[in-house]
């Protein structure tokens, strides 16, 4: 039992960018552990994706091909990848922390008597093993985890890496052979019948191209308080956005949500008001050039990524700021 | 239709957290606790499904004595009964250990549907539900925004009521995409926050909760999988990635300082 296996994700004939980040993590681990690196994709008719994979630095690639893997299902993926893992017997299985991985990887790990060490933000070699870093309490604390080693036979350590934790641009190029692996699958074993993905409605707000975004979170407490933040956004000539709970409550439409389940933004200025800064939110706004945070909790994770911060009651700071901006603009 | 909702008790969201003396967890003294928010939405969905289709809702929780409060809240909101796996050693288990206990406690219930939140606010691993589905041998779907059950509903006895039922769920995918999935029952779903509006417990509900059945099971009496496969070694404050300039003073002073920065350094005004 040896080696690092990275499972890459794709949709519509293209790799998910987070797949390359996971592969970068895999390259780092394989190098540190002195073990071979293998990467795999699962689906149907994957030739172009296989060719692209062959151009990366790895020891071997696999196309897990089966007509029943054409559309993603947890049952199909678990059955197919379980067979690949049994053949390869890797020490580590690395995945991108996508919604799809969250759907099937815990089930896959259970088949091996393992758990998934989910959404890692970092890792380091420590003696003969690795220390894996993830966040707790919505990003308020970090935690170091260690894998206790295989329990019996070929049981790898399963890991998923959070968006942005490893750099896809650090990925090393190379030349690898990509082999087809044909799993044994039975249509009766796939219980879920997925329909084609769809979008609810045409997006009318393009936060992605906004240069100033004023984003509001749970700290706003009530929908009736939103106009206060809206006025600040107007004074700055920016777009109003929000973290997930605000849209969950229906206070703002989902299309104004920034985060891993919403839009990814990269404005010149991102003003985070009453937003604690859970990783799911940070993932969506980390491309912002300048980040300003207003929050009464000085330990809120948002201050870890903010350039400027005001620790204070947003109900006092925001109206004062709106006035100051209006005055500056009028001058 | 019998629905089991797995819920967790977690520290109140804006709690001030302090690392304990051992450096392996937080100091739990003086913390207030509440139901894990995504689990509250799972409970709400279960109650709405029961209102539509009949049957019963059973709240399932593993945790120490203090978690009784969260169970009472679930009963006050409308759960018919509860199962409390009493254990003080949750922190020493990994997800597989916790899910093994949950599975053992409900395997004879023969539920049609098991719901839970998509992740917890404390550990945030987001996999207890999926692991539970695997241990019970039933299909699952995650990050669910809508549930439509199709077919005739049973009386809620669970016995045989699973036959012939199916459902159509709406999964949230990334970047604003969604997907419908059809699947047979029994099954497990992990519910996304915001699936519907949460209800408050009524005074009548709170009164009724006192008379509802809570089956207590000792955690140590339930089989757990082998030793944990991962260990949490250390908990610590994250390192700052950026040097944050804190702007101090009264709200007016801080606002004026920020406007100066926005004007002359960020150049957006």
């Amino acid at each position: 039992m040896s080696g690092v296996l990275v499972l890459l994700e794709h949709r519509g004939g293209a790799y998910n960018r987070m797949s390359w980040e996971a592969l970068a993590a895999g390259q780092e681990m394989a190098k540190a552990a002195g073990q071979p690196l293998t990467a795999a994709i699962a689906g149907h008719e994957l030739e172009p994706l296989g060719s692209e994979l062959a151009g990366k630095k790895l020891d071997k690639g696999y196309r897990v091909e089966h007509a029943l893997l054409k559309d993603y299902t947890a049952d199909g993926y678990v059955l197919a990848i379980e067979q690949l893992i049994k053949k390869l017997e890797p020490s580590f299985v690395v995945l991108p922390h996508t919604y799809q991985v969250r759907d099937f990887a815990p089930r896959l790990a259970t088949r091996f008597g393992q758990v998934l060490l989910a959404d890692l933000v970092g890792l380091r070699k420590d003696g003969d093993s690795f220390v894996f870093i993830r966040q707790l309490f919505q990003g308020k604390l970090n935690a170091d985890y260690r894998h206790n080693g295989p329990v019996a036979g070929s049981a790898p350590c399963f890991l998923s890496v959070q968006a942005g934790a490893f750099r896809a641009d650090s990925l090393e190029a190379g030349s690898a052979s990509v082999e087809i692996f044909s799993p044994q699958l039975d249509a009766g074993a796939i219980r879920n019948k997925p329909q084609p993905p769809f979008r609810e409605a045409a997006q009318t707000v393009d936060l992605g191209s906004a240069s100033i975004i004023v984003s509001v979170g749970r700290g706003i407490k009530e929908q009736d308080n939103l106009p206060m933040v809206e006025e600040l956004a107007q004074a700055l000539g920016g777009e109003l956005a929000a973290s997930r709970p605000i849209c969950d409550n229906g206070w703002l439409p989902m299309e104004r949500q920034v985060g891993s389940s919403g839009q990814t933004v990269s404005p010149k200025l991102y003003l985070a008001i009453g937003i604690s800064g859970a990783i799911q939110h940070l993932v969506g706004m980390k491309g912002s050039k300048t980040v300003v945070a207003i929050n009464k909790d000085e330990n809120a994770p948002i201050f870890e990524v903010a350039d400027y911060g005001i620790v204070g009651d947003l109900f006092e700071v925001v109206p004062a700021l709106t006035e100051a901006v209006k005055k500056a603009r009028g001058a | 239709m019998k629905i089991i909702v797995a819920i967790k008790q977690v520290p109140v969201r804006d709690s001030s957290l302090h690392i304990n003396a051992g450096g392996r967890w937080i100091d739990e003294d003086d913390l207030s606790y509440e139901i894990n928010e995504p689990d509250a939405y799972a409970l709400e969905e279960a109650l709405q499904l029961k209102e539509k289709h009949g049957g019963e809702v059973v709240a399932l929780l593993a945790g120490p004595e203090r978690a009784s409060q969260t169970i009472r809240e679930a009963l006050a909101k409308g759960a018919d009964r509860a199962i409390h796996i009493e254990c003080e050693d949750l922190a020493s288990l990994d997800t597989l250990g916790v899910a093994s206990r949950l599975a053992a406690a409900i395997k004879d219930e023969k539920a049609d549907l098991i719901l839970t939140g998509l992740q917890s606010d404390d550990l945030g691993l987001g996999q207890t539900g999926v692991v539970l589905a695997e241990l019970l041998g039933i299909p699952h779907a995650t990050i669910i925004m809508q549930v439509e059950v199709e077919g005739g509903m049973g009386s809620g006895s669970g016995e045989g009521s699973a036959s012939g039922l199916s459902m159509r769920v709406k999964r949230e995918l990334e970047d604003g995409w969604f997907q419908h999935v059809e699947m047979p029952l029994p099954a497990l779903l992990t519910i996304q926050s915001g699936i519907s509006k949460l209800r408050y417990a009524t005074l009548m509900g709170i009164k009724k909760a006192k008379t509802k059945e809570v089956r207590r099971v000792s955690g140590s009496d339930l089989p757990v999988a082998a030793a944990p496969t991962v260990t949490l070694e250390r908990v610590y404050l994250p390192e700052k990635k950026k040097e944050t300039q804190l702007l101090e003073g009264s709200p007016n002073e801080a606002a004026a300082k920020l406007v100066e920065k926005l004007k002359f350094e960020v150049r957006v005004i």
Side-chain angles (χ1 to χ4, degrees):
Chain A
M1 199 180 115
S2 168
V4 178
L5 169 64
V6 182
L7 292 169
L8 306 176
E9 185 172 316
H10 58 93
R11 190 161 79 197
Y15 282 101
N16 180 332
R17 185 181 160 77
M18 280 174 69
S19 288
W20 299 129
E21 296 177 2
L23 189 58
Q27 285 185 342
E28 188 181 320
M29 288 183 69
K31 201 171 177 181
Q35 293 190 11
L37 175 65
T38 308
I41 39 174
H44 186 50
E45 294 173 345
L46 301 169
E47 290 96 332
L49 292 171
S51 305
E52 199 177 342
L53 184 60
K56 309 297 177 192
K57 188 182 176 189
L58 42 105
D59 294 282
K60 183 126 198 185
Y62 285 92
R63 281 163 43 195
V64 182
E65 292 258 10
H66 199 290
L68 289 172
L69 297 176
K70 186 171 176 291
D71 296 316
Y72 163 80
T73 58
D75 284 337
Y77 266 51
V78 169
L79 285 166
I81 297 165
E82 181 187 12
Q83 290 170 37
L84 180 72
I85 291 172
K86 283 185 174 159
K87 171 187 157 77
L88 300 178
E89 299 192 347
S91 303
F92 301 97
V93 177
V94 182
L95 308 109
H97 190 65
T98 60
Y99 277 23
Q100 184 170 300
V101 164
R102 292 168 62 157
D103 193 63
F104 78 87
R107 192 155 197 148
L108 175 68
T110 307
R111 294 269 165 112
F112 292 88
Q114 296 287 308
V115 298
L116 173 71
L117 261 172
D119 62 340
L120 301 184
V121 295
L123 59 87
R124 65 173 187 274
K125 186 91 192 309
D126 183 50
D128 290 338
S129 60
F130 285 95
V131 171
F132 302 106
I133 306 159
R134 58 184 307 276
Q135 298 188 318
L136 305 178
F137 295 98
Q138 312 277 312
K140 283 185 185 166
L141 296 176
N142 272 14
D144 285 352
Y145 282 86
R146 202 183 290 265
H147 186 239
N148 299 340
V151 283
S154 53
C157 168
F158 289 83
L159 313 161
S160 70
V161 297
Q162 184 55 266
F166 294 85
R167 295 181 64 108
D169 55 13
S170 72
L171 202 59
E172 291 184 64
S175 175
S177 69
V178 177
E179 195 177 291
I180 294 178
F181 176 81
S182 302
Q184 300 296 310
L185 296 179
D186 167 15
I190 297 173
R191 297 166 287 189
N192 291 5
K193 308 291 173 229
Q195 310 296 317
F198 63 93
R199 287 198 133 156
E200 293 273 89
Q203 302 240 334
T204 54
V205 184
D206 182 14
L207 295 176
S209 62
S211 68
I212 297 178
I213 291 177
V214 178
S215 199
V216 61
R218 213 179 263 278
I220 196 71
K221 290 196 170 85
E222 288 177 29
Q223 186 172 17
D224 291 348
N225 297 327
L226 276 179
M228 185 179 78
V229 180
E230 212 164 357
E231 197 183 344
L232 174 60
Q234 273 172 13
L236 280 165
E239 282 286 353
L240 183 66
S243 64
R244 170 130 210 145
I246 301 299
C247 301
D248 279 349
N249 285 335
W251 298 351
L252 283 175
M254 293 305 274
E255 61 185 2
R256 290 200 182 264
Q257 187 206 332
V258 170
S260 57
S261 55
Q263 295 201 47
T264 301
V265 299
S266 50
K268 203 169 171 191
L269 172 67
Y270 190 85
L271 196 53
I273 296 172
I275 289 178
S276 71
I279 184 107
Q280 291 85 351
H281 187 76
L282 298 185
V283 163
M285 47 77 66
K286 66 181 182 210
S288 307
K289 195 153 178 283
T290 301
V291 176
V292 175
I294 299 171
N295 202 301
K296 66 177 180 185
D297 177 8
E298 61 180 326
N299 294 317
I302 192 75
F303 286 119
E304 285 153 38
V305 298
D307 299 274
Y308 303 103
I310 297 177
V311 178
D313 183 349
L314 72 89
F315 296 102
E316 293 176 4
V317 176
V318 171
L321 186 57
T322 306
E323 282 313 304
V325 169
K326 281 182 179 167
K327 204 170 139 193
R329 283 247 150 123
Chain B
M1 186 165 72
K2 184 191 280 190
I3 307 171
I4 293 180
V5 191
I7 59 179
K8 185 177 187 179
Q9 190 188 49
V10 295
V12 167
R13 250 177 196 261
D14 57 359
S15 297
S16 176
L17 302 176
H18 300 282
I19 295 159
N20 71 9
R24 288 188 171 209
W25 193 237
I26 53 165
D27 196 344
E28 294 193 326
D29 295 342
D30 302 328
L31 281 181
S32 298
Y33 290 86
E34 64 186 359
I35 184 171
N36 179 48
E37 189 176 85
D39 298 345
Y41 284 99
L43 173 63
E44 178 60 40
E45 185 59 26
L47 295 171
Q48 291 195 13
L49 284 169
K50 181 194 153 185
E51 283 159 9
K52 263 186 229 154
H53 304 295
E56 74 169 334
V57 172
V58 184
L60 169 70
L61 183 147
E65 171 55 31
R66 63 167 152 74
S68 303
Q69 175 61 30
T70 296
I71 289 175
R72 274 196 296 275
E73 284 171 28
L75 294 172
K77 281 190 174 188
D80 297 281
R81 59 188 172 90
I83 303 168
H84 184 177
I85 304 169
E86 293 180 305
C87 45
E88 300 286 340
D89 62 346
L90 273 187
S92 68
L93 302 176
D94 63 9
T95 315
L96 187 52
V98 174
S100 300
R101 281 194 182 160
L102 297 177
I106 61 170
K107 70 175 183 348
D108 295 332
E109 290 276 350
K110 294 188 169 54
D112 299 294
L113 186 59
I114 301 172
L115 302 181
T116 191
L118 83 163
Q119 64 186 27
S120 63
D121 285 346
D122 53 1
L123 289 171
L125 282 156
Q127 55 186 301
T128 306
V130 180
V131 174
L132 181 57
E134 170 67 13
L135 294 175
L136 294 170
I138 57 175
H140 78 271
T142 53
I143 318 187
I144 298 304
M145 296 293 289
Q146 194 182 310
V147 185
E148 292 164 41
V149 177
E150 287 147 11
M153 294 303 126
S155 63
S157 68
E159 197 63 43
S161 63
S163 60
L165 290 183
S166 65
M167 65 183 162
R168 185 171 184 261
V169 299
K170 186 167 93 176
R171 287 186 67 206
E172 184 184 302
L173 307 176
E174 280 140 334
D175 300 325
W177 289 84
F178 298 89
Q179 179 181 43
H180 284 116
V181 179
E182 285 165 17
M183 55 199 295
L185 294 177
L188 182 143
L189 303 174
T190 77
I191 302 294
Q192 171 65 290
S193 298
I195 188 169
S196 52
K197 204 169 163 54
L198 295 177
R199 72 187 64 193
Y200 291 101
T202 59
L203 195 59
M204 180 67 89
I206 294 166
K207 275 185 183 166
K208 270 190 183 168
K210 289 176 185 160
T211 63
K212 289 178 178 172
E213 177 201 332
V214 179
R215 175 156 69 89
R216 293 175 201 282
V217 187
S218 167
S220 53
D221 291 345
L222 295 173
V224 173
T229 61
V230 295
T231 308
L232 201 176
E233 286 197 337
R234 187 168 76 97
V235 173
Y236 52 101
L237 289 170
E239 283 171 28
K240 275 183 180 292
K241 292 186 186 77
K242 276 189 180 175
E243 197 58 49
T244 310
Q245 280 189 48
L246 286 181
L247 307 174
E248 290 167 349
S250 68
N252 282 332
E253 287 162 356
K257 284 179 190 169
L258 181 56
V259 166
E260 288 291 295
K261 301 286 181 192
L262 296 182
K263 204 167 175 179
F264 298 109
E265 292 180 21
V266 190
R267 296 174 192 278
V268 290
I269 292 182

